[in-house]
Amino acid sequence: MTTHSLTITELKSVSIGYLAADFILGENVWPRRLQIHSRFQHALNLQRDDGYLLTLLCASQYRNLADAIRLDLPMAWDWREHANNGNSRDVTLQENGMLLGAGWFIALENTPCWRPNIITAGTDESPDNYAQHQYPTLVDALNRYCHKHNISSELALLPDISSMKRQPELSLNADTVTLNLQIAQLIGFGRGLTPDGDDYLLGYIASLWRWRNTPRVATHYVRLCRGVAEQLERTNDISRQYLSRGVQGHFSEPICELIQALATAKSHSAISTAASRVMQFGASSGVDCLAGFLHGLRTLSN
């Protein structure tokens, strides 16, 4: 008689985002079931009961996200193969912080928690110099990156009246109705897993976030976030999560680093490096996001 033993692979956790950590340490209900939502080579999305996604990311490919766990994955590991075991679509979260899937497990105890530290602008600060000083550096970084990697978008990434592509219109002084129409022209629009318009909106929100409490920006920021939140059904689940978290003030590590670099008046070289890290996310998502961020800087300088 032959005995077959099931091989279970331990996946080493590198870091955990602060919202993911709060979820895992949150409710005192064990075990908790998570449903496999979507699989990619270097990422696995697990859907929680509240609809949010807990994402498992390959640490060599991705930086930190608030809702993600970064892993040191074995060479040639592909989630499309390892999270596709028959009809099993459940992953179990145990009381001891163990995440258990079919053929793999992750021990989350003692995993370092990533939490950004972003300086909020004071109400007496003027956004003008902040926005204008580094704007040319970011435009140059965007143009260089797009040229080097041959990246294009369904949107006009910078103001260009000669372009036949959709020109984003997000105006500081727009009333609620007008701003909602401007948002509707972007949300869910374009190509990619996260559409171009969604990534652009996320960058725009992130650019204004530091200034959200200043008198000049506050009303626009509230209208903007409310308008995006009310139209989330126009896009897909993954993009919906990024935008939903964005209006709550939760952004990826590269975006947080760019905001912080601008706030602390880093050198042009440091700003350009931070911008490049934002653009490295996805095929064109990061480029769309930086373009939206630049739109936010134009809004601040007007």
Side-chain angles (χ1 to χ4, degrees):
M1 179 177 178
T2 304
T3 302
H4 297 280
S5 59
L6 177 64
T7 301
I8 300 180
T9 303
E10 180 179 4
L11 304 177
K12 301 290 187 181
S13 57
V14 174
S15 60
I16 181 170
Y18 58 100
L19 294 182
D22 290 347
F23 166 72
I24 288 166
L25 298 173
E27 305 170 31
N28 191 24
V29 179
W30 309 103
R32 277 182 270 172
R33 301 283 181 184
L34 302 169
Q35 191 120 39
I36 293 176
H37 175 276
S38 47
R39 313 172 183 86
F40 307 93
Q41 182 178 1
H42 301 297
L44 177 69
N45 287 314
L46 305 174
Q47 191 156 38
R48 299 162 18 178
D49 288 340
D50 60 6
Y52 280 104
L53 303 178
L54 177 66
T55 306
L56 308 184
L57 295 173
C58 176
S60 65
Q61 299 290 324
Y62 294 100
R63 305 288 296 283
N64 284 296
L65 297 174
D67 287 288
I69 300 167
R70 293 171 68 242
L71 305 169
D72 183 9
L73 294 176
M75 188 175 296
W77 185 275
D78 189 330
W79 279 116
R80 292 169 297 187
E81 298 174 3
H82 292 280
N84 190 21
N85 294 279
N87 295 321
S88 176
R89 295 187 63 83
D90 284 346
V91 173
T92 305
L93 178 61
Q94 306 284 355
E95 185 175 4
N96 60 358
M98 185 84 72
L99 202 58
L100 183 62
W104 56 269
F105 74 93
I106 305 166
L108 295 170
E109 232 177 6
N110 302 319
T111 302
C113 180
W114 170 72
R115 190 179 298 273
N117 178 28
I118 306 176
I119 300 172
T120 301
T123 55
D124 58 339
E125 285 188 67
S126 169
D128 293 8
N129 291 334
Y130 164 90
Q132 294 177 9
H133 182 60
Q134 298 291 1
Y135 184 84
T137 301
L138 293 176
V139 169
D140 182 64
L142 176 70
N143 286 328
R144 286 176 179 271
Y145 193 90
C146 289
H147 179 74
K148 179 179 179 180
H149 298 279
N150 194 27
I151 293 175
S152 63
S153 171
E154 293 295 298
L155 297 170
L157 297 176
L158 294 167
D160 182 2
I161 58 173
S162 65
S163 174
M164 299 301 292
K165 295 184 177 181
R166 182 166 298 187
Q167 302 274 345
E169 297 178 1
L170 296 164
S171 311
L172 181 67
N173 298 317
D175 59 31
T176 300
V177 173
T178 302
L179 185 58
N180 283 342
L181 290 173
Q182 293 172 347
I183 292 168
Q185 290 293 307
L186 290 173
I187 196 163
F189 173 78
R191 300 170 299 180
L193 181 64
T194 53
D196 298 306
D198 295 1
D199 295 318
Y200 193 98
L201 277 169
L202 182 63
Y204 184 79
I205 294 168
S207 184
L208 300 184
W209 183 87
R210 185 172 174 259
W211 303 89
R212 68 194 185 283
N213 295 323
T214 57
R216 184 166 153 190
V217 178
T219 299
H220 175 63
Y221 188 83
V222 170
R223 287 175 177 169
L224 171 72
C225 290
R226 185 181 296 130
V228 170
E230 290 173 351
Q231 300 188 58
L232 288 174
E233 74 284 352
R234 297 169 63 95
T235 191
N236 63 59
D237 290 348
I238 296 174
S239 199
R240 186 180 302 123
Q241 165 136 331
Y242 288 143
L243 283 172
S244 177
R245 288 311 197 194
V247 301
Q248 297 167 11
H250 306 299
F251 307 103
S252 69
E253 183 178 15
I255 291 175
C256 292
E257 288 180 346
L258 178 58
I259 295 171
Q260 188 70 349
L262 289 168
T264 53
K266 295 287 187 181
S267 67
H268 291 297
S269 175
I271 296 294
S272 184
T273 298
S276 293
R277 288 174 178 162
V278 170
M279 290 186 286
Q280 286 165 10
F281 188 84
S284 61
S285 292
V287 168
D288 286 314
C289 183
L290 185 65
F293 198 97
L294 283 164
H295 193 142
L297 293 184
R298 292 194 297 274
T299 295
L300 291 172
S301 67
N302 285 333

